[in-house]
Amino acid sequence: MPATTHRRPTNDAVTTNVLAEDVLTLKQARAELRHILGRRPDRTTLYRWCLRGIGGVRLEHCRVGQVIVTSRQALTRFIEARSQ
């Protein structure tokens, strides 16, 4: 029996999701997380969440020029996935 693979959404699907939502730069996302965590995570932490993720869960993001953006909704999905 073949192993089940979990497919990540394609970059186009992630880009469409992120840009259709409440867009935040990583700097703005850090400020949003301050309200939840009581302190801002380091900027490299959010960058790492985008590129490598934690436990197989990555923060949805896209690059607009040289700026990496995510969304409030993507942050929520990331936190929910990590909380399960």
Side-chain angles (χ1 to χ4, degrees):
M1 181 179 227
T4 304
T5 58
H6 296 280
R7 298 183 68 197
R8 280 187 280 154
T10 64
N11 285 340
D12 291 340
V14 170
T15 299
T16 302
N17 284 346
V18 169
L19 293 178
E21 298 171 340
D22 300 328
V23 177
L24 301 169
T25 64
L26 293 186
K27 185 176 183 177
Q28 293 168 329
R30 288 175 63 213
E32 291 283 323
L33 288 171
R34 169 182 263 164
H35 299 292
I36 298 168
L37 303 175
R39 62 181 178 83
R40 283 186 319 196
D42 191 74
R43 66 179 149 220
T44 57
T45 300
L46 268 75
Y47 185 72
R48 187 173 53 248
W49 290 352
C50 291
L51 297 185
R52 292 194 319 227
I54 302 172
V57 179
R58 290 182 13 178
L59 176 60
E60 295 172 27
H61 68 283
C62 67
R63 234 178 235 282
V64 179
Q66 299 227 337
V67 178
I68 298 175
V69 297
T70 188
S71 67
R72 282 187 179 90
Q73 293 82 359
L75 279 173
T76 301
R77 289 189 293 271
F78 179 79
I79 293 168
E80 285 176 350
R82 289 296 304 144
S83 299
Q84 293 180 1

